[in-house]
Amino acid sequence: MTLYHSYFDLALNTHHTDSELSILFSGEGKPDPEHKQGPVVHDYYLIHTVFAGEGVFEMRGRTYTCKAGDTFIIFPGELFTYIADRDKPWHYAWVGFTGRKAGTLLESIGASAQQAVISGAPPRSIRHYYRHIRRSFQHSAFPQLEDLEAEGWLRLLLRELGRANASRITERAEAATDIERQVAQAIRYLELQYTQAVSIEQLARNLGYHRTYLCKMFKQSTGLSPMQYLFNIRMERAKQLLQTSMTIDQVASSVGFNDALFFSKQFRKWSGKAPSAYRKEL
């Protein structure tokens, strides 16, 4: 790789984990004129931010000319190509990462495979985050802590890109209907409060909606009533807890049931198996 760069610096994560967000590597370089990558596909996310010069990035049939302050994002499974300008080859930094929440985090800053370039981020502050990511990997005696530190810097980098992309985020938010936002509010409440005794009246009161209206819009959006949705959340969580050493009583109380016998009946109705039988099969 260094054969095609006048400057090249790369840091690798030796403790990559299957977590919400985990960095594979990060680097910075000044490619030679017309240095090209692709067409090729990666199985991870890869972000490049341009500090100087220019180049062209192609993905999903779209061609982007990128210059200082632009960030282009490669998504897993997407065919892409990028090439440095002949007269003013770009100088950029990059970070490759995976994670269960990676796609969601990119979506939250307004990035997608269809809109894969973010413009307007100040190169100086952005470069600061890339440097800290690379410096996290000093090959100390605690690589798991290096991974944790680098993840924090990546989240800060994404926040900075999100600020630069605020107008696109706002457009997406405005495109969502009032009902979608209200239902999302209700779902979030149920996901956080499923361990407690929850009633329709309480849910409606806490969110500021009429009970009948809340039930109607919730079912229109999800196909379920709020209580059915809550029930599914509890049962899915119970399945996870039954894989631990917790007792049936402890599992029941952890998912909002004061009566373990009633919980067992409901779990059997939902899954077709009693909690003890489900655990035995595992």
Side-chain angles (χ1 to χ4, degrees):
M1 182 71 74
T2 53
L3 294 176
Y4 307 105
H5 292 73
S6 59
Y7 167 72
F8 184 82
D9 180 35
L10 180 67
L12 302 175
N13 183 2
T14 61
H15 190 77
H16 173 64
T17 59
D18 181 24
S19 58
E20 289 187 354
L21 193 65
S22 187
I23 294 172
L24 300 170
F25 53 83
S26 184
E28 183 175 335
K30 296 179 180 179
D32 293 337
E34 298 187 312
H35 173 255
K36 182 180 181 182
Q37 289 283 345
V40 70
V41 172
H42 287 334
D43 60 357
Y44 51 85
Y45 296 90
L46 182 59
I47 294 178
H48 289 72
T49 298
V50 182
F51 302 139
E54 295 180 7
V56 171
F57 168 60
E58 298 177 0
M59 192 174 73
R60 282 265 180 120
R62 298 191 63 180
T63 299
Y64 308 85
T65 298
C66 299
K67 56 187 183 304
D70 291 339
T71 296
F72 61 94
I73 304 170
I74 294 162
F75 285 74
E78 296 288 346
L79 188 68
F80 69 88
T81 302
Y82 59 88
I83 182 170
D85 187 75
R86 181 180 60 184
D87 300 318
K88 296 181 292 182
W90 45 21
H91 170 196
Y92 52 35
W94 62 89
V95 56
F97 58 96
T98 60
R100 298 187 299 275
K101 292 289 184 69
T104 303
L105 288 171
L106 289 172
E107 183 179 350
S108 73
I109 66 170
S112 68
Q114 277 299 114
Q115 297 287 341
V117 172
I118 294 174
S119 301
R124 182 173 296 180
S125 64
I126 291 292
R127 192 175 183 183
H128 166 80
Y129 295 117
Y130 281 106
R131 281 176 174 166
H132 276 287
I133 290 173
R134 297 200 304 280
R135 288 173 183 171
S136 299
F137 304 123
Q138 299 298 323
H139 304 296
S140 70
F142 305 101
Q144 65 273 26
L145 299 183
E146 295 179 354
D147 177 61
L148 190 63
E149 178 185 346
E151 178 190 335
W153 285 112
L154 176 57
R155 288 179 180 272
L156 290 173
L157 170 64
L158 294 176
R159 179 204 61 183
E160 198 69 23
L161 294 175
R163 286 177 173 174
N165 210 30
S167 60
R168 188 181 296 173
I169 298 172
T170 301
E171 288 172 5
R172 288 191 177 191
E174 290 174 348
T177 66
D178 287 340
I179 289 180
E180 287 172 337
R181 284 194 291 271
Q182 291 161 355
V183 170
Q185 251 187 320
I187 288 174
R188 186 63 176 158
Y189 181 91
L190 295 175
E191 289 174 340
L192 294 174
Q193 299 296 319
Y194 71 91
T195 62
Q196 308 299 319
V198 177
S199 67
I200 288 291
E201 289 74 14
Q202 180 187 22
L203 176 62
R205 183 170 61 253
N206 284 336
L207 297 178
Y209 307 131
H210 189 276
R211 179 185 186 280
T212 304
Y213 172 73
L214 175 63
C215 291
K216 181 179 179 181
M217 70 175 186
F218 197 99
K219 191 156 190 175
Q220 281 180 348
S221 182
T222 67
L224 300 171
S225 71
M227 291 299 100
Q228 289 171 326
Y229 198 94
L230 173 63
F231 181 76
N232 284 342
I233 291 175
R234 286 172 166 166
M235 293 299 104
E236 289 292 348
R237 180 58 177 153
K239 279 176 61 176
Q240 296 173 348
L241 296 179
L242 286 169
Q243 299 176 46
T244 71
S245 59
M246 294 173 67
T247 67
I248 302 298
D249 281 2
Q250 290 169 337
V251 171
S253 61
S254 296
V255 296
F257 289 85
N258 295 324
D259 185 337
L261 182 60
F262 180 65
F263 160 73
S264 296
K265 289 179 179 178
Q266 294 301 308
F267 187 87
R268 182 168 191 164
K269 185 186 299 183
W270 180 75
S271 69
K273 299 181 183 70
S276 56
Y278 177 81
R279 169 173 277 170
K280 194 172 292 186
E281 283 193 359
L282 292 175

